[in-house]
Amino acid sequence: MSAALTTERRSTLHRRVRFIVGFTITYNVIEAIVAIWAGVLASSAALIGFGLDSVVEVLSAVAIAWQFTRKDPERWEKVTVRAIGLAFFALAAYVTVDAVTSLISQEGPEHSPLGLGITALSLLVMPLLAWFEVRTGRELDSKSVLADAKQLILCVYLSGAVFIGLILNSLFGWWWADSVAALVVAVLAIREGIEAWRGDVESPFEVLEDLDKDDKD
């Protein structure tokens, strides 16, 4: 956080955070409804899991919204970050159980144009929203905002995993592809949850930013 950050600028950033979480909540409520509906129609545990991930993201965004409606948001930083950490653990637990159950039963998702559409849309929307939130969180030096941005990045990973799984199953009959990808996402969720719980939160674009700095040097 810059020492020159004025009260007016801080207020602007707080309003931006409220806008980001407001958009996130609205989008993910719609995404959850569509994904779960598509999952039920296609008998796809992966799509239903994707929809429930959207619910977890809503809970994370609600935690941020709550924090930034306080008179002193920084005071509630640690509590909010830990709440987001718990959201990561909840997501990892569900995705793991869902993926293992699918592997044991050898049940893969059926072809779902609606599922492909909603996951593809998420791959377009979420990276942009996460990038916007990261810029805001870094300027505010807010670990909770950066943790919420990581939740959005995890959604991108999960969207990609479900999307690829649906494609591979439709084209080649690889019923196990989305379950394996989902387990990778679960491992990432556990890692991010541990970091959030410890308060060790950095930008999810840190590696790219460091590479960009190296190129400029």
Side-chain angles (χ1 to χ4, degrees), residues 2-211:
S2 172
L5 194 62
T6 65
T7 301
E8 182 179 358
R9 179 59 179 168
R10 186 184 298 276
S11 178
T12 298
L13 292 173
H14 285 182
R15 287 196 298 272
R16 186 186 295 177
V17 170
R18 289 193 290 271
F19 166 78
I20 291 170
V21 296
F23 180 87
T24 299
I25 291 170
T26 302
Y27 177 85
N28 278 285
V29 166
I30 296 172
E31 183 179 74
I33 294 171
V34 174
I36 292 173
W37 182 35
V40 170
L41 292 177
S43 299
S44 170
L47 275 173
I48 294 174
F50 177 67
L52 292 177
D53 166 66
S54 299
V55 175
V56 173
E57 289 175 47
V58 169
L59 296 177
S60 176
V62 166
I64 297 295
W66 173 83
Q67 179 191 355
F68 281 87
T69 56
R70 307 296 93 189
K71 291 183 178 180
D72 183 13
E74 288 73 19
R75 176 185 175 188
W76 303 96
E77 183 89 358
K78 185 175 181 179
V79 173
T80 306
V81 172
R82 286 200 165 184
I84 294 172
L86 290 175
F88 275 120
F89 292 138
L91 174 60
Y94 177 83
V95 170
T96 299
V97 171
D98 180 69
V100 171
T101 300
S102 296
L103 287 172
I104 292 174
S105 62
Q106 298 186 6
E107 293 180 357
E110 297 178 7
H111 179 62
S112 174
L114 185 58
L116 287 170
I118 192 63
T119 51
L121 180 61
S122 182
L123 286 172
L124 294 175
V125 173
M126 286 302 162
L128 294 175
L129 188 61
W131 175 80
F132 188 43
E133 189 169 20
V134 165
R135 286 177 61 89
T136 305
R138 285 177 67 84
E139 190 170 354
L140 276 173
D141 194 26
S142 171
K143 290 184 177 181
S144 60
V145 174
L146 289 175
D148 189 58
K150 281 194 169 187
Q151 186 75 264
L152 297 179
I153 291 299
L154 192 63
C155 175
V156 176
Y157 295 154
L158 187 55
S159 301
V162 175
F163 181 80
I164 292 172
L166 291 171
I167 288 290
L168 292 178
N169 185 64
S170 296
L171 294 179
F172 307 110
W174 293 0
W175 58 268
W176 46 266
D178 64 324
S179 295
V180 172
L183 288 174
V184 174
V185 173
V187 172
L188 292 174
I190 292 173
R191 189 192 69 178
E192 301 300 347
I194 292 173
E195 289 184 359
W197 187 262
R198 292 175 176 173
D200 182 20
V201 180
E202 297 180 346
S203 164
F205 301 110
E206 195 77 30
V207 175
L208 296 179
E209 291 169 352
D210 290 342
L211 291 175

